[in-house]
Amino acid sequence: MQITSFKQYEEDYKKSVENPEQFWGEVAQNFQWRKPWFKVLSWNFNEPNIKWFEGAKLNITENCLDRHLATNGDKPAIVWEPNNPEEESVTYTYKMLHERVCRFANVLKRNGAKKGDRICIYMPMVPELAIAVLACARIGAVHSVIFGGFSAKSIADRINDSQCKVVITADGSYRGNKQIPLKDVIDDALIGCPTVEKCIVLTHIRTPVSMLKGRDVWWEDEVKHVNDICEAEEMDAEDMLFILYTSGSTGKPKGVVHTCGGYMVYAGYTFSNVFNYQPGEVYFCTADIGWITGHSYIVYGPLSQGATSVLFEGIPTYPTPSRFWDIVEKHKVNTLYTAPTAIRSLMSYGEDPLNGKDLSSIRVLGSVGEPINEEAWHWFDEKIGHGKAPIVDTWWQTETGGIMISPIATVTPTKPSFATLPLPGIQPILVDENGNEIEGNGVMGNLCIKFPWPGMLRTTYGDHERCKQTYFSTYENLYFTGDGCLRDEDGYYRITGRVDDVLNVSGHRIGTAEVENAINMHAGVVESAVVGYPHDVKGQGIYAFVIYPEMHGEAELSKKDILQTVTRVIGAIAKPDKILFVSGLPKTRSGKIMRRILRKIAEGDTANLGDTSTLLDPGVVEEIIAAAKKL
Ligand code: WTA
């Protein structure tokens, strides 16, 4: 199933469009099924109703673990690199990982979890996180992993939305020289979560925690009470595998639902091809398992292909900005998959951190999460890849389950800042505002996908109508990505960024409405409007315009208070970079905030504000411009 030449890519692509069912049916043969499908695909984008590999039975963990045991049982599956480089790294072979997953699956059962139950996972980047994820999949429970940076309130909202029965967490986590008390955060969250019956707590940083009698149990105690034999639950291809919450243009995050069969095939196929993974190679994805990149390209994709996946607990700059390069050298990393924001941040330290580091093991480089600017692309290419490692700039989304538009390493000629060409099976089209296809090359438009692929979302948890409205209603019969896109003269695709009210801050998706809701919760704030602006390292920064007449004390103190409120309501990742206090916001006569104007002001481009004559009070714009200049 691995593509080895551009000619083969073209042939496979053609086949995947002309006969998608045959194409994906053949790809799926590379996986282990308990029962075959009777129909590869049935679909319509109106309801939407999408089914892949109908009738097939499987368990994804048999594909990620059991099937490797006979031939590759002693091969490293996960190599864990701790936050503190002085501590030992830990290697789990496929045999060991299988054993741990089965054991913990039995712990889940012992604590009342069964097929179909939702389980919330809020953990540091430790091997037990991957074990917890796979243990859920083993017993057919649906995992909902929540990134360790979210606040108690965000966790509670997510737990309640999907009525989780069990929570898996740790006492705390390390992030550089900081410690984060995860269990404390969970305790705050669970006050408002009536559906949670059990909380399993891993000891990690050894900070004191409170354990609630009857609800909270220790991971280490529990594993002593069970054995390591756990037959995998037989799942239907379309049974739910996981929920992952992501931000959209409305205030409330949506639970994107992925199912067992299609997701497995798509994550495995794309991993093997995009990175041109070769047996025995060491692959390092720097994402967190709390995001989709970690789900598909730290856990499921690599393990389904028997790969060695490095799992790193820490951050790129701790203890020094050489950390990534130390890890590459120490574990002889062959593929490094990271985010533009990390590249830009490391670039800013100059070349010193690279001095004396042996990066010769690197064969393939990858980028994900946001558009990569040319400067960062070239630095990555020259300084890290020494001009010899192809860069795969992979465009995709939580909703797509896996990589959609990307070069195939060693196959597709790359071009800086271009995600290049669609993978086999992916049929992108560009449309104008009215949904008319923009044909030909050298054009720009809104990016849509016109045919299903196995890894696509099936619904948004508990609210199918929302899935339909968000993705399938903007343009008839198309999946709308929310991204703007350019197709150049060569037919290469470059993603230009979101065209909706979603920000991409350091590769994290944040809805402007979510941040506004959080700011508005602060006592005394009347109203706020949040927009993005270009930020050298983060890609986009968050700029908040806030009406706060009863400000207490100094403006700086008030800003601190607001930042704290946002941290409490969402998490530190959503803290505005800039807050500007204003007396009014530019609104149309019908009361709509004209964000276009605020965006221009935030970008510092006030010469081209465009038409402001429809504003209720054009004077407010002058006032905001004057205040912004002083910020
Ligand atoms: C953006 C992350 C440009 C895009 C996998 C998308 C990108 C959103 C790229 C999804 C890329 C992701 N080039 N933009 N290579 N990859 N994006 O759901 O705006 O966290 O819609 O999934 O990130 O973010 P999400």
Side-chain angles (χ1 to χ4, degrees):
M1 91 177 172
Q2 220 171 38
I3 297 169
T4 52
S5 69
F6 195 70
K7 187 163 163 282
Q8 191 193 344
Y9 159 73
E10 288 179 315
E11 284 167 10
D12 282 14
Y13 188 80
K14 190 159 175 278
K15 183 170 164 189
S16 77
V17 172
E18 286 170 359
N19 201 338
E21 293 199 42
Q22 193 194 344
F23 176 80
W24 286 114
E26 280 169 25
V27 170
Q29 301 293 349
N30 295 288
F31 296 81
Q32 190 178 305
W33 304 83
R34 294 245 186 120
K35 251 194 224 136
W37 49 91
F38 58 80
K39 181 136 184 42
V40 174
L41 169 67
S42 28
W43 69 289
N44 79 67
F45 274 178
N46 292 321
E47 293 179 39
N49 184 4
I50 293 120
K51 289 197 183 103
W52 284 93
F53 310 113
E54 226 172 312
K57 304 284 179 194
L58 76 153
N59 187 290
I60 196 168
T61 69
E62 289 184 335
N63 284 270
C64 291
L65 301 169
D66 303 60
R67 70 162 168 165
H68 307 306
L69 294 183
T71 45
N72 283 318
D74 295 323
K75 197 179 146 180
I78 287 178
V79 175
W80 180 64
E81 172 69 21
N83 178 65
N84 177 357
E86 312 274 290
E87 269 173 46
E88 299 269 324
S89 51
V90 178
T91 297
Y92 285 79
T93 63
Y94 274 93
K95 220 185 257 164
M96 289 159 72
L97 188 62
H98 177 263
E99 190 255 350
R100 303 293 162 102
V101 168
C102 288
R103 191 174 281 272
F104 193 68
N106 285 333
V107 168
L108 291 176
K109 285 189 192 164
R110 182 181 139 84
N111 282 278
K114 54 179 195 318
K115 181 174 178 173
D117 287 344
R118 275 79 57 208
I119 297 187
C120 164
I121 302 179
Y122 185 69
M123 290 181 78
M125 279 287 284
V126 292
E128 287 82 358
L129 168 51
I131 291 168
V133 163
L134 292 164
C136 289
R138 188 87 179 166
I139 66 167
V142 177
H143 54 77
S144 165
V145 184
I146 300 179
F147 174 64
F150 280 112
S151 69
K153 182 178 182 315
S154 296
I155 298 167
D157 290 347
R158 286 159 172 76
I159 288 178
N160 290 332
D161 186 71
S162 50
Q163 302 117 29
C164 293
K165 188 169 170 185
V166 177
V167 173
I168 309 170
T169 190
D171 50 357
S173 69
Y174 299 111
R175 253 185 89 73
N177 51 23
K178 285 200 213 107
Q179 295 195 2
I180 299 150
L182 298 180
K183 177 60 165 59
D184 284 359
V185 181
I186 286 289
D187 286 341
D188 287 346
L190 293 189
I191 292 169
C193 299
T195 58
V196 173
E197 293 168 14
K198 289 280 176 181
C199 177
I200 304 172
V201 187
L202 176 81
T203 305
H204 182 52
I205 67 171
R206 297 180 185 281
T207 183
V209 297
S210 61
M211 297 290 281
L212 200 72
K213 194 188 277 176
R215 185 193 72 186
D216 299 349
V217 294
W218 289 107
W219 178 300
E220 295 76 15
D221 291 341
E222 290 298 302
V223 292
K224 285 183 203 144
H225 295 293
V226 294
N227 65 23
D228 57 10
I229 298 161
C230 177
E231 217 203 309
E233 187 75 32
E234 185 166 287
M235 305 296 284
D236 192 90
E238 284 299 334
D239 277 340
M240 230 181 266
L241 175 64
F242 67 85
I243 304 169
L244 187 55
Y245 285 86
T246 190
S247 295
S249 30
T250 57
K252 193 171 159 254
K254 324 176 254 291
V256 168
V257 169
H258 287 286
T259 56
C260 296
Y263 174 82
M264 170 183 76
V265 169
Y266 199 66
Y269 173 78
T270 51
F271 171 77
S272 165
N273 278 289
V274 170
F275 302 105
N276 183 246
Y277 183 79
Q278 302 301 317
E281 285 192 328
V282 177
Y283 160 91
F284 175 25
C285 168
T286 68
D288 191 290
I289 295 177
W291 307 112
I292 190 69
T293 306
H295 281 60
S296 302
Y297 299 111
I298 294 178
V299 182
Y300 289 116
L303 297 180
S304 76
Q305 301 305 301
T308 299
S309 183
V310 175
L311 203 156
F312 174 42
E313 180 183 17
I315 55 173
T317 48
Y318 178 82
T320 72
S322 293
R323 190 65 195 277
F324 276 4
W325 324 127
D326 290 334
I327 296 174
V328 167
E329 180 173 320
K330 178 172 169 192
H331 299 293
K332 303 206 169 37
V333 169
N334 303 110
T335 301
L336 176 68
Y337 188 30
T338 190
T341 185
I343 298 169
R344 288 190 298 263
S345 150
L346 295 174
M347 247 169 85
S348 72
Y349 292 92
E351 284 180 39
D352 277 359
L354 285 162
N355 276 342
K357 306 294 170 192
D358 180 5
L359 305 182
S360 60
S361 57
I362 286 183
R363 190 175 70 82
V364 174
L365 294 172
S367 167
V368 61
E370 45 170 327
I372 181 165
N373 49 310
E374 292 205 22
E375 195 192 354
W377 196 98
H378 285 297
W379 187 85
F380 204 31
D381 179 41
E382 288 158 24
K383 302 292 175 230
I384 310 306
H386 298 295
K388 288 186 298 212
I391 296 179
V392 292
D393 174 2
T394 63
W395 173 81
W396 59 296
Q397 312 178 293
T398 304
E399 294 86 345
T400 69
I403 298 166
M404 302 283 282
I405 302 181
S406 167
I408 294 172
T410 75
V411 168
T412 314
T414 59
K415 197 189 273 190
S417 80
F418 280 81
T420 74
L421 298 170
L423 295 181
I426 304 308
Q427 302 186 34
I429 82 165
L430 301 185
V431 299
D432 63 19
E433 280 95 80
N434 305 317
N436 299 317
E437 177 164 7
I438 305 171
E439 287 176 86
N441 288 343
V443 293
M444 274 177 91
N446 289 344
L447 178 62
C448 294
I449 314 289
K450 65 178 176 193
F451 195 84
W453 62 101
M456 72 185 298
L457 86 164
R458 301 298 193 266
T459 187
T460 46
Y461 192 86
D463 194 350
H464 193 63
E465 182 59 25
R466 194 165 174 211
C467 172
K468 177 178 168 167
Q469 286 304 328
T470 313
Y471 306 106
F472 299 94
S473 297
T474 316
Y475 307 112
E476 209 181 324
N477 270 319
L478 298 174
Y479 166 82
F480 176 43
T481 65
D483 280 317
C485 182
L486 166 107
R487 186 167 54 221
D488 77 355
E489 295 302 338
D490 298 326
Y492 268 33
Y493 291 82
R494 169 198 246 164
I495 312 301
T496 49
R498 303 288 303 196
V499 293
D500 53 9
D501 291 320
V502 173
L503 306 180
N504 195 325
V505 181
S506 299
H508 300 156
R509 246 168 97 168
I510 298 168
T512 52
E514 263 176 277
V515 185
E516 288 166 4
N517 290 347
I519 294 173
N520 297 349
M521 280 177 154
H522 192 75
V525 169
V526 173
E527 201 180 4
S528 64
V530 165
V531 297
Y533 70 98
H535 187 287
D536 284 350
V537 173
K538 298 177 173 183
Q540 269 188 313
I542 303 178
Y543 199 128
F545 298 85
V546 181
I547 307 178
Y548 189 26
E550 285 163 46
M551 203 196 302
H552 301 290
E554 306 243 332
E556 283 315 308
L557 276 177
S558 306
K559 285 181 187 175
K560 253 197 189 147
D561 291 346
I562 289 177
L563 292 180
Q564 221 161 42
T565 300
V566 174
T567 305
R568 280 198 176 276
V569 177
I570 307 175
I573 54 171
K575 279 199 297 199
D577 299 273
K578 290 186 182 175
I579 296 177
L580 186 68
F581 293 120
V582 295
S583 67
L585 293 167
K587 285 191 181 171
T588 61
R589 292 198 179 90
S590 58
K592 239 183 121 203
I593 298 173
M594 281 183 90
R595 289 162 192 284
R596 176 176 60 77
I597 293 176
L598 293 177
R599 252 179 245 130
K600 289 274 182 199
I601 296 174
E603 286 165 15
D605 178 18
T606 49
N608 303 299
L609 286 185
D611 184 16
T612 56
S613 63
T614 57
L615 287 178
L616 191 60
D617 173 14
V620 82
V621 176
E622 296 308 316
E623 182 214 305
I624 297 176
I625 292 175
K629 283 197 178 128
K630 288 192 220 132
L631 191 68

